Amino acid sequence: MEVARLAGVSPSTVSRILNGTAKVSDDKRLAVLAAIASTNFAPNPMAQGLKKGRSMTIGIVVQDISSPFFDETLRGVDDGLAGTGFASVIVSGHWNEEEETDRIRLLLARKVDGIILLSGRLSDAAVLRFSTQRPIVSTGRDLHTRNALGFKLDNEHGAMLAMRHLIELGHRRIAFVTGPRHNNDADERLAGYKRALHEADIALDPKLIVEGDFHEAGGLLAISHLFESQQQFTAIFAANDLSAYGVRLCLYRKGIRVPDDISLIGFDDLPGSSYTTPPLTTIRQPLYDMGRIATHALLRLINGETADSAIPPLELVVRETTRRVR
Amino acid sequence: MEVARLAGVSPSTVSRILNGTAKVSDDKRLAVLAAIASTNFAPNPMAQGLKKGRSMTIGIVVQDISSPFFDETLRGVDDGLAGTGFASVIVSGHWNEEEETDRIRLLLARKVDGIILLSGRLSDAAVLRFSTQRPIVSTGRDLHTRNALGFKLDNEHGAMLAMRHLIELGHRRIAFVTGPRHNNDADERLAGYKRALHEADIALDPKLIVEGDFHEAGGLLAISHLFESQQQFTAIFAANDLSAYGVRLCLYRKGIRVPDDISLIGFDDLPGSSYTTPPLTTIRQPLYDMGRIATHALLRLINGETADSAIPPLELVVRETTRRVR
DNA sequence: CTGTTAGCGCCTTCAC
DNA sequence: GTGAAGGCGCTAACAG
């Protein structure tokens, strides 16, 4: 080492000072520190990693890097990582099981010290399998092993919260815009929709359930179809906020007022939802907190500690797209 | 190497096959490939990096990981990196010069092979200084050295596009919501606002210029203030889309119709802007393309090749928030 | 064509 | 308390 030479000590001593591995006399310590400062030396992480088997990097798997849904969580991860010395490599699975598998393999090949999996299509079994190589925490699943931890929100309950709100406002004919097929969260929200109807003794009308895709375009299309099929309804529950935005636009195009003519409720509470016109009533997911909490948990798993999977619950945020039916 | 032993060859031969560095007889190649498959071996990137002085990682500096503005660009970067073998480490500067400097240092310490800097507060001089260590490409600046390349859009021109559109529609009293102080893009857009007014022989009324912060809340506040000060105007030009969303909400709260009573135009064309109510007329920034193009350029710089800094121009996207003044 | 050798930068014994 | 030696996994140069 350059620094060692400059300070007139051996490389080992420099290493000891950098890592606090052993006691070093004050004079040498000072000399080394000075040499480090003058060289502005920093240890090479690749060499460290090679030696210690730790890359000080964690992998994050999102599904879409430009979706506000994931980005809010990423912000939590980012803050959770601050000051820990860990950096993160973010990859996208694009809601595609194969791609997701591929990306995780890639992260593992890069020797990340742990993985945060946000949503996705992977089976729990697959996640468990990967977790034998590195600790994994994941949102949207129930997992509790030494190396894998899941953070699951009660989507069905959240959907019931939304429905009860609508029902309390006197709505009976409530349309539901689903998420994409085979999506867990989407399925559970649909279940909540049905259960709330049942709970309130309102007959389920399958015609009021239309298929969306968790995106604006899908929401818009879904509701257009509903109008074409001449259904009557006074409220719409969209399986996520993005769909609700699309629904909102469809309503605007038809000259239907929200909430005067039709009430609308979403799910997620994306950052933009307090600035839609009018601001959207929705079910709040603690996206940022989930990011932070999942990160802390992963760090604990990496250190061989245990972690729990408690997260804040879903809650109803009443804004201005819902009102009492006339 | 495990694999080498298994295949009965030397580690170098394995390396040669993996890298295609030299010709290897077919039988050995087959044996090695088989051994690799059975072990599902993958070379350790840290060892490779240590040896070759390349980490196959690039650093991305954004200002806010959860802003749709940056995320759209990140998507371009992500796609640009696909299949190149490079991974990316994303860090946030939070619009803070010190933090930005710090993060770049961190990336450099991690031995990234290059850096993509998205916007930010750093001086060109600082960027140039960093670029002596690793190639850097940056959006929002004019830079053309062997190791640093800037991608700059003509914000002033973009603002003029917006203003001319409004002026052609007959607007004369046009309010402007600025971006944050000391922000280059924001300043240039303001310049474009003024220049377009001048070009059209419309007297500049400083009272119509109100300060925003590039966020929704700032836009909302700015226009509230404007109303309080009793100004008359028929159109609002917001320095970015996020501000425009805030403006839109303020107008909604006051019962002012868009575009019937007041026209509104933004700047950026964020993905959400085609789904606001009504869809927002704005100036389109080629965010995704910038991400892709900047990435390709960086890859070229990393390989010691030259790259140019051509990007698609800003363009007006007319949607439904502007109309002819009555 | 292929094995041997050396070294990337660091950390961790192991001696002194 | 501190230096010397060895090795993490890989590849490039050097022999053959």
Side-chain angles (χ1 to χ4, degrees):
Chain A
M1 281 180 177
E2 167 75 3
V3 172
R5 203 178 44 65
L6 231 158
V9 300
S10 78
S12 336
T13 303
V14 177
S15 171
R16 285 193 259 261
I17 293 174
L18 251 28
N19 300 292
T21 317
K23 297 217 176 306
V24 175
S25 68
D26 280 356
D27 51 339
K28 304 217 171 190
R29 150 172 291 110
L30 256 41
V32 169
L33 257 25
I36 287 178
S38 81
T39 339
N40 69 55
F41 162 89
N44 182 328
M46 290 187 290
Q48 291 186 132
L50 183 57
K51 180 72 202 178
K52 312 214 258 197
R54 261 210 187 184
S55 60
M56 293 307 281
T57 303
I58 69 167
I60 324 272
V61 183
V62 298
Q63 301 308 321
D64 176 356
I65 186 98
S66 69
S67 147
F69 179 83
F70 291 106
D71 296 328
E72 198 49 21
T73 313
L74 280 181
R75 203 162 59 77
V77 172
D78 205 45
D79 286 357
L81 244 32
T84 64
F86 280 87
S88 63
V89 172
I90 302 172
V91 298
S92 304
H94 298 122
W95 294 110
N96 179 148
E97 184 174 349
E98 208 174 326
E99 200 169 339
E100 208 175 327
T101 305
D102 192 63
R103 292 295 173 283
I104 293 181
R105 290 233 173 83
L106 202 131
L107 290 174
L108 256 13
R110 280 200 167 248
K111 305 291 181 194
V112 295
D113 296 325
I115 292 180
I116 297 180
L117 181 55
L118 301 182
S119 209
R121 293 247 189 275
L122 230 50
S123 70
D124 286 3
V127 173
L128 249 20
R129 214 170 312 125
F130 283 128
S131 78
T132 58
Q133 306 194 43
R134 291 284 187 254
I136 299 188
V137 303
S138 171
T139 61
R141 43 183 109 230
D142 255 323
L143 250 39
H144 293 271
T145 72
R146 178 178 303 284
N147 271 308
L149 195 58
F151 293 86
K152 179 113 187 59
L153 287 162
D154 190 343
N155 281 285
E156 181 170 346
H157 174 70
M160 291 181 70
L161 254 29
M163 288 297 287
R164 284 183 194 146
H165 171 62
L166 255 18
I167 292 167
E168 271 165 22
L169 291 176
H171 295 279
R172 289 294 172 274
R173 300 280 301 165
I174 304 172
F176 182 73
V177 178
T178 74
R181 290 173 189 285
H182 311 305
N183 178 302
N184 236 321
D185 292 349
D187 292 345
E188 292 177 19
R189 291 173 199 173
L190 175 58
Y193 166 79
K194 291 179 179 170
R195 185 148 156 225
L197 247 27
H198 183 74
E199 180 184 80
D201 270 328
I202 302 175
L204 171 72
D205 181 351
K207 296 229 180 61
L208 287 180
I209 299 178
V210 282
E211 191 176 331
D213 58 4
F214 272 177
H215 292 288
E216 294 96 334
L220 190 150
L221 230 60
I223 295 302
S224 317
H225 289 331
L226 202 55
F227 280 119
E228 279 166 22
S229 67
Q230 312 279 334
Q231 298 302 318
Q232 299 296 314
F233 51 93
T234 61
I236 303 171
F237 175 19
N240 75 350
D241 281 6
L242 249 27
S243 301
Y245 300 167
V247 169
R248 174 71 188 98
L249 180 53
C250 179
L251 264 17
Y252 170 79
R253 294 234 180 288
K254 299 218 178 278
I256 296 169
R257 293 166 305 167
V258 174
D260 309 74
D261 302 326
I262 283 188
S263 283
L264 173 62
I265 190 166
F267 201 117
D268 280 350
D269 194 22
L270 298 182
S273 294
S274 22
Y275 283 95
T276 54
T277 314
L280 185 67
T281 294
T282 187
I283 301 298
R284 171 158 230 290
Q285 290 213 55
L287 298 175
Y288 174 83
D289 289 333
M290 284 183 60
R292 269 187 82 95
I293 293 173
T295 304
H296 285 139
L298 181 63
L299 260 23
R300 290 187 58 92
L301 293 190
I302 289 176
N303 288 324
E305 302 162 337
T306 59
D308 73 41
S309 57
I311 40 171
L314 293 168
E315 53 191 28
L316 173 69
V317 179
V318 179
R319 286 202 275 254
E320 304 165 37
T321 53
T322 47
R323 57 160 284 180
R324 183 161 296 282
V325 72
R326 281 175 296 187
Chain B
M1 282 179 180
E2 168 74 4
V3 172
R5 202 179 43 67
L6 230 158
V9 301
S10 79
S12 334
T13 303
V14 176
S15 171
R16 284 192 261 263
I17 293 174
L18 251 26
N19 300 293
T21 317
K23 295 218 178 304
V24 175
S25 69
D26 280 356
D27 49 341
K28 306 218 172 196
R29 150 172 291 107
L30 255 40
V32 169
L33 256 26
I36 287 178
S38 81
T39 340
N40 68 54
F41 162 88
N44 182 328
M46 290 187 287
Q48 290 185 133
L50 184 57
K51 178 73 203 181
K52 310 214 256 198
R54 260 208 188 188
S55 60
M56 294 307 280
T57 303
I58 69 166
I60 325 270
V61 183
V62 299
Q63 302 307 321
D64 176 359
I65 186 93
S66 70
S67 147
F69 179 84
F70 291 106
D71 297 329
E72 198 48 23
T73 313
L74 281 181
R75 204 164 57 79
V77 171
D78 205 44
D79 285 356
L81 243 32
T84 63
F86 280 87
S88 62
V89 172
I90 302 173
V91 297
S92 303
H94 297 125
W95 293 110
N96 178 149
E97 184 174 349
E98 206 174 326
E99 201 170 340
E100 207 174 329
T101 305
D102 192 63
R103 292 295 171 284
I104 293 181
R105 290 233 174 81
L106 202 131
L107 290 174
L108 256 15
R110 280 201 168 247
K111 305 290 182 194
V112 295
D113 297 325
I115 290 180
I116 297 181
L117 180 55
L118 301 183
S119 209
R121 293 249 189 275
L122 232 51
S123 70
D124 286 3
V127 173
L128 250 20
R129 214 168 315 124
F130 283 128
S131 78
T132 58
Q133 305 194 45
R134 291 284 187 253
I136 298 188
V137 302
S138 171
T139 61
R141 41 183 109 231
D142 255 323
L143 250 40
H144 293 272
T145 72
R146 178 178 304 282
N147 270 310
L149 195 58
F151 292 87
K152 180 115 187 57
L153 287 163
D154 190 342
N155 281 287
E156 181 171 347
H157 174 71
M160 291 181 69
L161 253 31
M163 288 298 288
R164 283 183 195 146
H165 171 61
L166 256 17
I167 292 168
E168 270 166 23
L169 291 175
H171 296 279
R172 289 292 172 275
R173 298 280 301 168
I174 303 172
F176 182 74
V177 179
T178 73
R181 291 172 188 286
H182 312 304
N183 177 302
N184 236 321
D185 291 349
D187 292 344
E188 292 176 21
R189 290 171 200 174
L190 175 58
Y193 167 79
K194 291 180 178 169
R195 185 148 157 226
L197 248 26
H198 182 77
E199 180 186 82
D201 271 327
I202 302 174
L204 171 71
D205 180 351
K207 296 230 179 59
L208 288 179
I209 300 178
V210 282
E211 191 176 331
D213 58 4
F214 270 176
H215 293 287
E216 294 97 332
L220 189 151
L221 231 59
I223 295 302
S224 317
H225 289 330
L226 200 55
F227 280 119
E228 279 166 23
S229 69
Q230 314 278 338
Q231 298 302 317
Q232 298 298 315
F233 51 93
T234 61
I236 303 171
F237 175 20
N240 76 348
D241 280 7
L242 249 27
S243 303
Y245 299 168
V247 169
R248 174 70 189 98
L249 181 54
C250 178
L251 264 17
Y252 170 78
R253 293 234 180 286
K254 299 219 178 277
I256 296 168
R257 293 166 304 167
V258 174
D260 309 72
D261 302 326
I262 284 187
S263 283
L264 173 62
I265 190 166
F267 200 116
D268 280 349
D269 194 22
L270 298 181
S273 294
S274 20
Y275 283 94
T276 55
T277 314
L280 185 67
T281 294
T282 187
I283 302 297
R284 171 160 229 289
Q285 289 213 54
L287 298 175
Y288 174 83
D289 288 333
M290 284 183 59
R292 270 187 80 97
I293 294 172
T295 304
H296 285 139
L298 181 63
L299 260 23
R300 290 187 58 94
L301 293 189
I302 289 175
N303 289 324
E305 301 163 336
T306 60
D308 71 43
S309 56
I311 40 172
L314 293 168
E315 53 190 28
L316 173 70
V317 180
V318 179
R319 287 203 273 254
E320 302 166 37
T321 54
T322 47
R323 56 161 283 178
R324 181 159 297 283
V325 72
R326 278 174 301 186

